[in-house]
Amino acid sequence: MNPERSTTALLFIHALSPLHAGTGQGIGAIDLPIAREKATGIPYLPGSSLKGVLRDRAQGKGWDKDTLFAVFGPETEAASEHAGAVQVGDAKLLLLPVRSLYGVFALVTSPYLLERFRREAEMAGLTPPALPAPLGQGQALVAPNSRLPEGGKVYLEDLDLEARPIPGVGEWEDWLTRTQAPVAGRLAVVHDDVMAFLLETATEVVARIRLDDATKTVAQRALWYEESLPAESVLYSLVRAEPSRRKEKALPAEAVLALFKGLLQGALQLGGKATVGRGLCRVTLGG
């Protein structure tokens, strides 16, 4: 496939309720942890999950078989016939909501998270602001009009960090309003090591039980702990569209992307635990 015939876009995923993209089982204190990248430990949502949900929505909207197979690929038993025309990458974390003593909560990121976001945004033809200046482990970069600092400090969970207001963070806040997340006045950039600590301690962990139908008490061995990304988390995913390979349905890459974009209207349910309200997300095309 000629790469010049393809087109690339960036999706923003804003979690409206806790997002549980699980691994199925855990080996630690959490029975159902979320999926994390092997090397970095950063939470992510598999691209296959997002693609599967959009395929289901396309079927619900009454797409004909040829259009559906051209965009998303044939059914599994006929997968060898041709590939689908759209490729959906894993959704990577950009902003993690963390409890703040002032401003209710902060949307926290780090130089590394911004750097790799910027790399993929540029692949989609976007131009995010420049990366902020280096900072120490005990500092937090905020916008000059941020609602987070008080007395020169930013308080995130049990951490108190020196607030460093800089215009560059304000530029990122303005740019990230396209995610439709409540970024204004709440963006905080912390050291990568502090971010790694928050990624382990600031996710949402809840205890779940199952009641015995007869006694209405907790059934034996029916207590478990499950982890989610908190509501207000922001992730992004790179999407690439190519011309259709299906003989019965010729579509240029631009038409494939337009069809894909039409599926993003309204909230999507991503990840597991849908019956208890997890995974309600707003997905928008960033460019």
Side-chain angles (χ1 to χ4, degrees):
M1 182 66 62
N2 184 348
E4 294 182 357
R5 298 170 60 199
S6 66
T7 183
T8 306
L10 198 69
L11 293 182
F12 289 110
I13 300 163
H14 175 208
L16 304 176
S17 67
L19 174 59
H20 176 79
T23 59
Q25 62 180 3
I27 56 175
I30 300 174
D31 301 289
L32 296 176
I34 54 177
R36 294 174 182 267
E37 297 172 5
K38 180 73 173 176
T40 65
I42 299 172
Y44 74 101
L45 174 73
S48 56
S49 174
L50 178 56
K51 186 177 179 181
V53 168
L54 290 171
R55 183 187 181 111
D56 285 346
R57 175 166 282 190
Q59 286 180 301
K61 284 179 172 287
W63 281 23
D64 64 83
K65 183 183 74 172
D66 286 327
T67 304
L68 182 72
F69 289 178
V71 174
F72 291 100
E75 302 288 359
T76 303
E77 56 271 19
S80 60
E81 291 181 6
H82 63 83
V86 70
Q87 302 161 11
V88 183
D90 290 341
K92 300 172 182 174
L93 184 70
L94 175 61
L95 305 175
L96 178 71
V98 177
R99 184 167 55 95
S100 170
L101 190 57
Y102 297 94
V104 185
F105 70 95
L107 287 171
V108 183
T109 188
S110 76
Y112 173 67
L113 294 186
L114 290 175
E115 180 184 358
R116 70 176 191 171
F117 167 75
R118 195 171 197 278
R119 185 172 59 210
E120 296 199 16
E122 288 176 345
M123 293 172 67
L126 300 175
T127 309
L131 296 174
L135 73 164
Q137 284 192 349
Q139 297 178 322
L141 305 182
V142 296
N145 60 348
S146 175
R147 66 184 73 185
L148 302 176
E150 180 64 29
K153 294 280 189 179
V154 172
Y155 301 92
L156 303 176
E157 293 287 355
D158 296 329
L159 301 173
D160 59 287
L161 305 170
E162 176 195 347
R164 275 184 56 196
I166 62 171
V169 176
E171 293 173 11
W172 272 98
E173 285 188 353
D174 293 341
W175 197 87
L176 289 171
T177 54
R178 67 187 66 195
T179 66
Q180 301 187 31
V183 184
R186 286 200 168 92
L187 185 63
V189 183
V190 300
H191 192 277
D192 288 326
D193 293 345
V194 176
M195 191 75 216
F197 172 76
L198 291 172
L199 288 173
E200 291 293 335
T201 59
T203 56
E204 187 168 313
V205 178
V206 297
R208 299 276 312 279
I209 60 170
R210 179 174 58 81
L211 294 180
D212 184 291
D213 288 339
T215 65
K216 295 303 180 188
T217 58
V218 179
Q220 277 198 335
R221 312 184 76 150
L223 166 66
W224 70 94
Y225 291 89
E226 69 184 35
E227 184 182 30
S228 301
L229 280 172
E232 306 293 359
S233 296
V234 176
L235 303 91
Y236 62 95
S237 171
L238 202 61
V239 175
R240 186 163 176 263
E242 297 177 341
S244 166
R245 299 176 176 85
R246 190 167 183 83
K247 296 177 182 175
E248 297 85 352
K249 191 72 178 184
L251 291 169
E254 292 75 13
V256 171
L257 189 61
L259 285 165
F260 185 85
K261 183 178 179 181
L263 298 173
L264 305 179
Q265 301 295 324
L268 291 172
Q269 194 284 316
L270 303 174
K273 310 303 174 186
T275 57
V276 290
R278 298 288 189 266
L280 196 62
C281 295
R282 175 167 51 202
V283 182
T284 54
L285 202 60

